[in-house]
Amino acid sequence: MLRPAAVALGLLAALVAGCGSEARTPSGAGSVENGKTLFTGDGQCGACHTLADAGTRSEIGPNLDEAFAPLWEQGFDESTVRDVVHGQILYPTQNPAGVDDEGRALPGMPANLVTGQDAVDVAAYVASVAGRAEDGAPPEATGAEAIFTQRCGSCHTLAAANTAGTIGPSLDQLSPDAERVERAMREGPGQMPSFEGQLSDEDIEAVAKYVADN
Ligand code: HEC
Ligand code: HEC
């Protein structure tokens, strides 16, 4: 498993050493509202990161609340944290571990998901909330549709769940049977993470049935 705090501190060290100097956030705090909208957009940051304030929950990338909490404890100011996030958006570091618990390659973070002022805004938003929530990550969803919306919808379109993700195939078009959905959830084909061990067998079966029925 990644040690998120170590990653954040590593990024910070690179920044302080000047490697990230091109990524300096332009002056001005940026629009936090626009940043939040972008963060939670389809296939955006929330598809891969847990962030309590945004209500997103994914284990593909580090949990941003856990990653940034130590920086506040150490007294870093918000503009420094903005620089760290902005630098990561422009120049994502390669995941140092590179593999998950089962030894499978992890998808990296794509560069420039957002650019220009939008990247500044997302950085401002993340710096204003990450690691600062009192109550930690949002509660895990229960019920097949809620699980689908929270865990799958950012990558997959499914009209019944009102999701419009485009990273993976549209499940309306694919119209898979439950067995095929279950296999995908357990194996995690291509860029899709495996949900084996992340969701209970019961939840995997319920989500598979839900997708097949809709
Ligand atoms: C496809 C999945 C994916 C998306 C989308 C994504 N990330 Fe990441 N992110 C990762 C992974 C994997 C890592 C860890 C490896 C790395 O640092 O590149 C990471 C690392 C980070 C880190 C460093 C965390 C730490 O522990 O220091 C930050 C900050 C971050 N992402 C912010 C963002 C923001 C902001 C967005 C949206 C613009 C975003 N990510 C979109 C997968 C993603
Ligand atoms: C980070 C993005 C992402 C997430 C999250 C994700 N998927 Fe996928 N999914 C993909 C991609 C990409 C593919 C295509 C993989 C390939 O074949 O290369 C895929 C493929 C599939 C397939 C088709 C497999 C086949 O047999 O062709 C199904 C069904 C599926 N996903 C269901 C789900 C369900 C259910 C969830 C939530 C529990 C989920 N996905 C979460 C990205 C994602």
Side-chain angles (χ1 to χ4, degrees):
M1 197 42 217
L2 274 176
R3 295 214 307 279
V7 180
L9 292 171
L11 281 176
L12 188 70
L15 190 82
V16 170
C19 307
S21 55
E22 288 162 85
R24 287 275 159 203
T25 309
S27 56
S31 157
V32 167
E33 293 95 288
N34 184 43
K36 181 169 184 171
T37 306
L38 293 165
F39 188 97
T40 52
D42 283 318
Q44 285 292 356
C45 326
C48 295
H49 291 286
T50 293
L51 183 64
D53 183 83
T56 62
R57 192 185 178 96
S58 168
E59 278 139 26
I60 298 173
N63 176 318
L64 296 181
D65 290 310
E66 287 175 8
F68 286 98
L71 299 189
W72 305 124
E73 280 160 27
Q74 290 173 45
F76 287 102
D77 63 17
E78 194 166 316
S79 71
T80 306
V81 174
R82 271 204 309 266
D83 283 351
V84 171
V85 180
H86 191 243
Q88 170 73 15
I89 295 171
L90 267 48
Y91 310 105
T93 51
Q94 286 308 302
N95 170 14
V99 289
D100 67 10
D101 295 341
E102 276 86 47
R104 298 175 335 133
L106 287 170
M109 175 163 152
N112 295 310
L113 282 167
V114 286
T115 56
Q117 186 61 39
D118 283 345
V120 174
D121 291 351
V122 172
Y125 166 63
V126 173
S128 73
V129 297
R132 296 175 148 193
E134 305 278 301
D135 46 358
E140 236 167 297
T142 54
E145 182 166 288
I147 294 173
F148 183 91
T149 307
Q150 198 172 66
R151 301 294 195 106
C152 322
S154 52
C155 291
H156 290 287
T157 295
L158 184 67
N162 207 12
T163 65
T166 53
I167 296 176
S170 156
L171 298 178
D172 291 322
Q173 275 169 26
L174 192 68
S175 198
D177 61 19
E179 203 185 319
R180 184 167 176 185
V181 181
E182 184 169 339
R183 195 181 330 117
M185 288 175 74
R186 292 191 190 279
E187 290 174 1
Q191 290 288 92
M192 176 168 156
S194 164
F195 291 87
E196 185 89 64
Q198 307 287 331
L199 292 173
S200 67
D201 284 345
E202 232 170 41
D203 284 347
I204 289 180
E205 282 158 27
V207 172
K209 183 172 186 307
Y210 168 77
V211 173
D213 289 350
N214 282 281

